[in-house]
Structures are given as C-alpha cells and as structure tokens.
C-alpha cells in the first residue's frame, strides 16, 4: 500500500499571534522494527525550548563549545574581539572532565600558545603604527 504521512503539526491555515504550541520547538518522529518483528513501531518526542546558560550544560557541551569558539578565534572572525581567548580558555579548562589520552588538556595547551602568538601579533601591529 501507499505510505501514510502524518498531518503537518505546526502549520496552521490562519495566521494567529498566539502560539498554540507554547514552548514546543519541534517533534521528532521515527518508525522502527524490532529485530524479530515485521510490524513497525512509532516513536515520537516533542522538543521544548528550555534554554540553559552554558554553565548549566554538561562538560562535553561546554568543551565542544570551547573548540568551536577556538576555531572562530583562529579564523579571526570579526564578530569576536582579540581578547576572547581568555574566555575560551576558561571554558575549555573548566570542562576537561574525563580526558583519556590527554587530548583535551593538549587542546588547552595549544590554545594557550595560540593566545600568546595572537598577543605578540597585536603588539607587533601596535608597535609599527
């Protein structure tokens, strides 16, 4: 038979200023079959807007954020000021957690070196003005 698709949940026909879904951002839906079954099961989970500050997240999220932040700093994106290395290093240093192989600590050391190089670069530019 033809595949049946669920009706669209978040689209309404008339424009309304109020949100009937409250703080619901999306719904994840998928179907799966158990290994010994021929009948599929549906799993559905709404995702809510539950904003947390970075300090309330787990260490993996904080460390990943620090790595992304470092990438932006290294690419010298104009949205970040040159003194942001301190904030990135503080975030990375406080989110090391379980560090098998010492890769997270090595990242922090490399970013400290990058910070020092950036400071020298800024000093050099200012001295040549």
């Amino acid at each position: 038979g033809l595949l049946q698709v669920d009706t669209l949940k978040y689209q309404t026909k008339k424009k309304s200023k109020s949100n009937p879904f409250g703080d619901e951002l999306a719904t994840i839906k998928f179907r799966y079959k158990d290994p010994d079954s021929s009948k599929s099961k549906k799993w559905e989970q709404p995702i809510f807007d539950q904003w947390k500050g970075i300090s309330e997240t787990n260490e993996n999220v904080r460390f990943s954020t620090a790595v992304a932040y470092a990438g932006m700093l290294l690419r010298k994106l104009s949205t970040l000021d040159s003194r942001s290395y301190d904030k990135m290093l503080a975030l990375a240093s406080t989110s090391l957690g379980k560090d098998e192989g010492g890769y997270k600590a090595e990242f922090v050391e490399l970013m400290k070196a990058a910070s020092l190089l950036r400071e020298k670069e800024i000093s050099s530019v200012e001295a040549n003005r």
Side-chain angles (χ1 to χ4, degrees):
L2 294 173
L3 293 174
Q4 295 280 330
V5 178
D6 291 348
T7 58
L8 298 176
K9 180 177 179 180
Y10 298 106
Q11 293 188 0
T12 57
K13 292 183 180 178
K14 56 184 174 180
K15 295 201 175 197
S16 171
K17 291 185 179 181
S18 65
N19 180 1
F21 302 104
D23 60 352
E24 190 173 321
L25 294 176
T27 299
I28 297 173
K29 297 180 184 182
F30 68 90
R31 291 192 170 273
Y32 65 96
K33 289 182 184 177
D34 287 326
D36 298 329
S37 175
S38 61
K39 189 172 183 175
S40 70
K41 295 179 182 180
K42 181 178 178 181
W43 182 86
E44 184 174 329
Q45 177 66 50
I47 305 299
F48 296 96
D49 181 11
Q50 297 174 333
W51 168 252
K52 293 181 176 183
I54 192 74
S55 62
E56 296 177 49
T57 60
N58 69 47
E59 64 195 24
N60 291 327
V61 170
R62 290 193 311 273
F63 190 79
S64 298
T65 302
V67 171
Y69 196 172
M72 294 173 72
L73 289 168
L74 292 170
R75 291 181 62 204
K76 298 179 185 172
L77 294 178
S78 61
T79 56
L80 301 171
D81 65 69
S82 61
R83 293 173 207 74
S84 297
Y85 275 90
D86 292 338
K87 293 176 187 173
M88 180 272 300
L89 284 165
L91 183 59
S93 297
T94 59
S95 59
L96 294 176
K98 190 173 184 180
D99 189 15
E100 292 178 17
Y103 296 116
K104 291 179 178 180
E106 184 177 356
F107 169 81
V108 170
E109 292 306 312
L110 287 170
M111 290 303 100
K112 285 179 182 177
S115 174
L116 293 172
L117 288 172
R118 180 70 177 139
E119 287 176 22
K120 286 182 181 180
E121 180 183 340
I122 291 170
S123 298
S124 175
V125 169
E126 290 174 355
N128 291 331
R129 287 187 182 172

